[in-house]
Each structure stands twice: as C-alpha cells, then as structure tokens.
Amino acid sequence: MKAIILLGAPGAGKGTVAALLKASTDYLHVSTGDMLREAVKARSPVGLQAKSYMEKGELVPDAVILGIVRERMEREPKTAKYMFDGFPRTLEQAAGLGALLAQFGAKVDGVFLLDVPRDVLVDRLSGRRVCRQCGAVYHVRNIPTKVEGVCDLCGGATYQRPDDSEATVVNRLEVYRRQTEGLIAWYRERGVLFEIEAAGAKEDTSDRILRVLAGL
Ligand code: AMP
C-alpha cells in the first residue's frame, strides 16, 4: 500500500491535477468532497449529516470523514495506492489516517502542497464549473467545455457548486487557513512535504508531482 496526499486551499487545483495523475499512474483518487457530494445527492445518513456543514463551507466532523475513508479503504485490495484529495483537513484527520494506514503496515509517503496565490484561488473558484454526472472540473475561461454547459467527457450538464458562490468562498479560504495549515507543519516535520508551484497550467503542476513521485 502507498498513500499520497494533495494538500492546498480550495481552488488550488487538487481535483484537476488528481484527474491528470489518475490517468498516468495507478493511484486511486479518493476525494472526500466528491464522496460527500454523492452522499448528499443520495440522501444517505452521511449525506444528511454533512449537508449543512457543506452549505456553509464549514468542515464536516472528523468522525464522519474518517468513517467514510475507512469504509472506502476496506473495500480496496491491500496493495492499493491512494491519492487523497481534500483529506486530511485537520490534525485529527491526519492522526486518524496515520492510524488507518498503520493497520496495513503503511504510512503517508508524500504530501504535495499546491502553492497558489490568493487572487488566483478566488478567480478559479468563482469560475469553476463541475459536471453533475461524472464530477469533471472546468473553468469558464481557463478550462472551458467545448459546448457551453455540457461536459466534454460524458455529456452531462455542468453547474456551479453552491459553495463556490463568493460569500462561501471567502469563508472556505478562511477555514482552510485556520484548520488546515497546521497540517503543513505536521507533515513538514515528518519530512514528507513537497511544495509544488501550482499557479500555472495543470499539466505543469502534474509534471512536477510526477517527477517527485518517481523518486518516492
Ligand atoms: P471540497 O470538494 O474538497 O472542496 O469539499 C467540499 C466541502 O466538503 C468542504 O467545504 C467541507 O464542508 C466538506 N469536506 C470535504 N472534505 C472534508 C474533510 N476532509 N474534512 C471535513 N470536511 C470536508
């Protein structure tokens, strides 16, 4: 088992880069945000618990998050390689992930911190569009769909996530700064943190990560 983490503010490009990495590696993409959105859509018990937090841009409680990640990992083979996106978000989640991996004799192999200036983050989030059907990520200017409102990959309808509205974006960036930045120090101390310049083209960011991955 191997495990890497994509870390970075909302809008840093974690999901976009994950899609590229997924295509050129055998890492499984585990996005807690995607899993929660599916749970909300399906009105499952987890979805009902998570909905109000998500609408406000607050973090869903650690126990809920660790529960869905554990369930996911129990379904995969013991040799699986994980690329976590949007998880862990708190020190408690990082500790929980460490404990989960330890059960499989594994640890976090690399943490990629996507470094993007704040004005770029706000622009990316406010212009982001997501496919309702397959979750593919677009941007009205930077990564437009070929036909407006229609996903290039599956033909599904694209939409703006309600939490990408300007009011919520500001809160999400603040929540990130408060709760997630402690993780940077935690992983840096453990010698697994790699800072990746991520303000430019998605391919450049993904190439930088692939070069580090080759040496892990
Ligand atoms: P994301 O798609 O990663 O931006 O996540 C969307 C929303 O889902 C966040 O604003 C949180 O409300 C919730 N969420 C996703 N991942 C986590 C996590 N690891 N811990 C707590 N809340 C999360």
Side-chain angles (χ1 to χ4, degrees), residues 84 99 106 108 128:
F84 294 106
V108 171
R128 172 156 71 181

Side-chain angles (χ1 to χ4, degrees), residues 10 14 31-34 36-37 53-54 57-60 62 65 85-89 93 128 161 163 172:
K14 300 183 293 291
S31 156
T32 45
D34 285 351
L36 291 171
R37 277 183 289 279
Y53 295 98
M54 295 176 76
E58 302 291 337
L59 294 185
V60 172
D62 293 329
I65 300 291
D85 159 8
F87 169 84
R89 285 260 230 293
Q93 291 178 21
R128 172 156 71 181
R161 277 171 46 177
D163 59 349
R172 284 165 66 208

